[in-house]
Amino acid sequence: MSKTPIISHNQPAPTDRKLFRSRIAALNIAIGGGFRKGEAALIGGPTAGGKTILACQLAFEFGASGAKVALISTEGAPQDLIPRFIANATSTDVGRLRPGTDEKYCAILQFLSTDPRTKDDMARLTQVLDNNVLIIDGRREGCIPMGHLLHAELHNMGQNRFEPEVIIYDWLGSNETIERRDAFEV
């Protein structure tokens, strides 16, 4: 297997495509200034390496900047991602937001929505999720190829008149292959 670099610090800044920057300066530099409209970026890493948290953070950032964002998650149902969005928006430990009981979870959400330190963040998060971010359940039954699932979801978005500028595919690799190699390895 060749050791081709996947990141170039010498990439020219785009001039003809909208650029979406993250709050992570080193990430922006590594990918030539930010994520470009019309391009795809695959973020890989080990289980529990922070891929989903990064995906939620980027979806929120891009949505807050006014972009329409589709977040397709193969890890969990959309409602399972909401605590990660809340944790990012309010700088709250995501462990506190894991629903132990509905009553406890609702009490924490009520507190975050009314506490002067976090209520503006919660209001902004709600506005962004309601208007600019579509969370899609990308879990698969059986061995539906990733490309087929993505094609179907893009079709559904078009039918619902949601035209994303950014698609984040939070994918936990499985049986996919790219150029006859395991896609998780690639």
Side-chain angles (χ1 to χ4, degrees), residues 2 13 27 36 41 53 57 68 79 83-84 91 103 111 120 129 152-153 160:
S2 79
L27 175 61
R36 289 163 194 74
I53 289 175
Q57 181 182 19
K68 296 289 186 186
Q79 66 269 17
R84 294 175 192 211
S91 299
E103 187 176 302
F111 172 78
D120 290 343
L129 290 178
E153 291 300 339
N160 294 324

Side-chain angles (χ1 to χ4, degrees), residues 23-186:
R23 289 184 293 171
I24 306 167
L27 175 61
N28 294 333
I29 290 168
I31 61 174
F35 296 88
R36 289 163 194 74
K37 181 178 179 178
E39 291 184 353
L42 174 65
I43 301 170
T47 300
K51 298 178 301 296
T52 299
I53 289 175
L54 178 61
C56 291
Q57 181 182 19
L58 292 174
F60 174 73
E61 287 177 26
F62 300 155
S65 73
K68 296 289 186 186
V69 181
L71 171 59
I72 302 170
S73 176
T74 63
E75 183 177 318
Q79 66 269 17
D80 296 337
L81 297 181
I82 298 302
R84 294 175 192 211
F85 277 98
I86 295 168
N88 283 333
T90 63
S91 299
T92 301
D93 176 17
V94 73
R96 288 186 58 209
L97 299 169
R98 302 260 187 236
T101 66
D102 287 340
E103 187 176 302
K104 178 183 172 191
Y105 185 65
C106 289
I108 292 170
L109 292 182
Q110 180 66 30
F111 172 78
L112 291 171
S113 296
T114 57
D115 185 285
R117 295 169 294 182
T118 55
K119 77 178 191 177
D120 290 343
D121 297 325
M122 287 293 286
R124 184 171 180 229
L125 175 64
T126 300
Q127 188 271 330
V128 168
L129 290 178
D130 284 349
N131 298 308
N132 292 9
V133 177
L134 176 64
I135 305 171
I136 298 167
D137 190 343
R139 294 174 295 171
R140 301 181 266 177
E141 292 184 26
C143 291
I144 301 169
M146 178 175 63
H148 291 214
L149 176 68
L150 183 56
H151 179 75
E153 291 300 339
L154 289 171
H155 177 74
N156 290 339
M157 283 184 252
Q159 296 289 344
N160 294 324
R161 302 203 192 292
F162 186 87
E163 296 180 18
E165 295 177 84
V166 177
I167 298 172
I168 300 171
Y169 203 111
D170 181 27
W171 173 52
L172 184 60
S174 62
N175 64 343
E176 297 296 326
T177 58
I178 298 173
E179 297 176 6
R180 293 185 297 254
R181 294 191 331 202
D182 179 8
F184 192 70
E185 173 188 312
V186 172

